Amino acid sequence: MGLGSTPRSIPSRADAELLDEADPLAGFRDQFVVPDPGLIYLNGNSLGRLPITTQERLHSVIDHEWADDLVRGWDRWIDWPRRVGDRLGTALLGTQPGEVVVCDSTTVNLYKVAFAALALVPDRPRVVVGSEEFPTDRYVLEGLAASSGREFFAVPAGEALTTHIDDQTALVVASLVDFRTAALADLAGTTKAVHRAGAKIIWDLSHAVGAVEIDLRATGVEFAVGCTYKYLNAGPGSPAFVYVRSDIQQQVRQPIWGWFGQHDQFAMGPRYEPVTGIEQFLTGTPSVLGLVAVDEGVALLAEAGIDRAAAKARALTDLLIALADEWLAPLGFAVVSPRDGSRRGGHVALSHPAASKLGQALIDDAGVVGDCRPPDLLRLCPAPLYTRFVDVWDGMARIRDLNAW
Ligand SMILES: *Cc1c(COP(=O)(O)O)cnc(C)c1O
């Protein structure tokens, strides 16, 4: 792209149009429901748009599978957490079949996996997480530490996780893409450093999956969780995923002993005997409608190709940063996200003293949906499957012209 290279010229709207014309993924926007073309949606990292295939298939599952088949539908539905997990993992995470299931929320999955991983390091007292990590991750670890008699350590802002890992560390939890700044962590390097210290690490991929290329196998990752309603476009509250590397699955046991993790589930036997595979991480009856939405969301991204989606995400955010430098810096904004596209996820964080108070004005007066985070961050996410380069250009121009800065 080279938009940030010198000599710098302000990208014009015609430049943005040219980028759209050359975009191999341009056609994917037509596969989404866009009811209000005047609204510029830059919040795909909070909730992705609705794919048309998802809308159609949900109607079909409701009208036919649920209405007609009733309980007989479970003959089919019962395998979906594993089948959808296989599709998600092989298309987007670089995993093998049998290593991913789709179920529960990210919060619950993190609890299950963290509990399981902690049992592998019984003699180490400390769990470690960044003090600016996503809140639910910190709370889950804090609670688990409290209930298991371990010490909870939050790494101070600005300090590297890896400098706080030693022979006392049992478990580390980290996000691949920082939900605030979009900074991309070193997946392979951090995993290796934690393992070398004899500790375990769980990666939270919520802000990364569907926005960046991920290869869990090649990077030696043992445990990961993530959500599906952001870049995977599976809708509000859609089920999350769990990855546990196949060679670890038999060494661990998750804490919620539910019947969906039970060997020979419908024998309804007297004692819990978990299945040996990744299905051990299932708990209770899955959301079939949610699984359908994950399946369709993954199918769209698989069709686009995560390599192309990630490249477009970088190009869109490069343009956004170039325009922020030209138009918003004079208004008091600063780019907080890494400028190197290879070190960044799919969104951009800008700071401004008034940013966190102006979310509503942004929607009401500018017709731009972004995301404001206290104390001073404005997060903008041009998700690659349905956002055009001209949307970024128009959205940034509207933010510039908002009479509020
Ligand atoms: C979005 C997100 C979650 C969401 O967790 P839920 O259980 O779905 O509410 C968790 N962790 C991270 C890093 C996220 O970005």
Side-chain angles (χ1 to χ4, degrees), residues 45-107:
N45 59 327
S46 293
L47 181 69
R49 280 192 187 273
L50 169 62
I52 292 170
T53 47
T54 304
Q55 191 178 40
E56 289 171 352
R57 196 159 152 225
L58 279 173
H59 280 133
S60 153
V61 169
I62 291 168
D63 296 345
H64 301 295
E65 302 197 34
W66 177 7
D68 297 344
D69 298 347
L70 291 168
V71 74
R72 292 165 293 185
W74 279 113
D75 292 348
R76 257 188 330 281
W77 303 330
I78 198 96
D79 293 334
W80 286 6
R82 160 74 194 268
R83 284 185 39 195
V84 178
D86 282 348
R87 283 184 190 153
L88 192 163
T90 51
L92 303 175
L93 306 178
T95 60
Q96 309 284 319
E99 294 187 310
V100 176
V101 273
V102 176
C103 59
D104 302 323
S105 64
T106 303
T107 304

Side-chain angles (χ1 to χ4, degrees), residues 45-46 104-110 133-137 174-179 204-208 225-230 237-240 379:
N45 59 327
S46 293
D104 302 323
S105 64
T106 303
T107 304
V108 170
N109 286 338
L110 178 62
E133 184 52 85
F134 194 85
T136 211
D137 299 55
S175 278
L176 179 56
V177 171
D178 185 291
F179 81 103
D204 189 331
L205 307 177
S206 293
H207 258 82
V225 297
C227 81
T228 63
Y229 48 80
K230 293 169 182 166
S238 57
R379 297 188 310 167

